[in-house]
């Protein structure tokens, strides 16, 4: 697609429920990233995929968070037993992961705003 | 602890004025990015700075990087209302793993 697509754009859920957030990256982009942005803050890294595998998941806050990218394209971020503190905008980004010239510019999606009541 | 600190965090300025946003970081990365975010929107890439002394300009915005001082600046020349947004600097510590600053919210008044 022309850009990074994220669904849903807004999700309201109750504490303790399970949530899935989907990201469809730019076609041909091998790297996919998930970030979380709380109100008034900069985005925080969660996880990144190179192809199908998670290359770095050091930013996932705890084992309630899990992400997959089974075919190396679309990714799903899964949050179990949601807590109020999980409320944030979840941003997905993709890139070619080409360090030709040293740059690896991430293109971000519009985000999924999660509200846990 | 890796830190990226921006100042100021909020900037209100008149149209036509000049100002500089500062981004200090604590790691030795030489890849730094500036992004713009409009309210309720996602992040738009503005500049990529890849080496010490790098300077990039686009319209009324100019970004520079001093890797020895671990400092990047975003200079605004003759501000216009359309530049009102939140600006983030981000340091790439590993293949797209970015550490973002807190953001600087710029408000340009007519």
């Amino acid at each position: 697609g022309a850009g990074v697509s994220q669904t849903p754009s807004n999700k309201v859920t109750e504490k303790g429920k399970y949530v899935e957030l989907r990201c469809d990256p730019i076609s041909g982009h091998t790297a996919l990233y998930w970030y979380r942005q709380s109100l008034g803050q900069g985005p925080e890294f969660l996880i990144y995929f190179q192809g199908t595998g998670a290359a770095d998941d050091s930013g996932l806050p705890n084992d309630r968070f899990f992400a997959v990218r089974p075919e190396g394209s679309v990714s799903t971020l899964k949050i179990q037993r949601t807590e109020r503190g999980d409320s944030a905008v979840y941003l997905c980004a993709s890139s070619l992961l080409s360090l030709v010239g040293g740059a690896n510019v991430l293109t971000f999606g519009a985000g999924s705003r999660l509200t846990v009541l | 602890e890796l830190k990226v600190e921006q100042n100021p965090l909020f900037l209100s300025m008149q149209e036509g004025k000049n100002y500089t946003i500062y981004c200090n970081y604590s790691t030795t990365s030489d890849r730094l990015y500036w992004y713009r975010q409009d309210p309720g929107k996602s992040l738009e890439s503005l500049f990529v700075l890849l080496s010490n002394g790098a300077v990039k300009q686009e319209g009324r915005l100019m970004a520079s990087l001093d890797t020895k001082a671990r400092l990047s600046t975003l200079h605004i020349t003759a501000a216009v209302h359309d530049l009102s947004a939140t600006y983030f600097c981000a340091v790439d510590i590993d293949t797209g793993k970015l550490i973002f600053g807190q953001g600087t919210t710029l408000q340009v008044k007519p």
Side-chain angles (χ1 to χ4, degrees), chain A:
Chain A
V4 178
S5 176
Q6 292 188 246
T7 55
S9 55
N10 274 289
K11 176 70 177 179
V12 180
T13 191
E14 294 180 342
K15 180 174 178 288
K17 299 290 188 182
Y18 170 80
V19 165
E20 288 191 353
L21 307 175
R22 175 189 164 105
C23 172
D24 197 345
I26 291 173
S27 179
H29 278 193
T30 53
L32 184 146
Y33 307 81
W34 284 99
Y35 283 78
R36 178 169 73 173
Q37 187 174 23
S38 300
L39 191 63
Q41 302 295 317
E44 293 178 301
F45 171 81
L46 295 177
I47 184 171
Y48 107 84
F49 291 87
Q50 196 168 324
T52 60
D56 185 342
D57 64 357
S58 61
L60 294 177
N62 51 59
D63 61 6
R64 295 187 297 106
F65 288 75
F66 189 71
V68 295
R69 194 187 186 199
E71 297 178 358
S73 178
V74 171
S75 176
T76 305
L77 178 66
K78 307 181 181 195
I79 310 173
Q80 298 178 320
R81 304 183 303 281
T82 51
E83 300 178 356
R84 292 193 181 88
D86 298 336
S87 297
V89 176
Y90 290 81
L91 295 167
C92 178
S94 69
S95 79
L96 286 168
L97 197 56
S98 166
L99 293 180
V100 173
N104 178 30
V105 181
L106 275 60
T107 301
F108 283 85
S112 292
R113 181 178 298 276
L114 175 65
T115 303
V116 182
L117 301 176

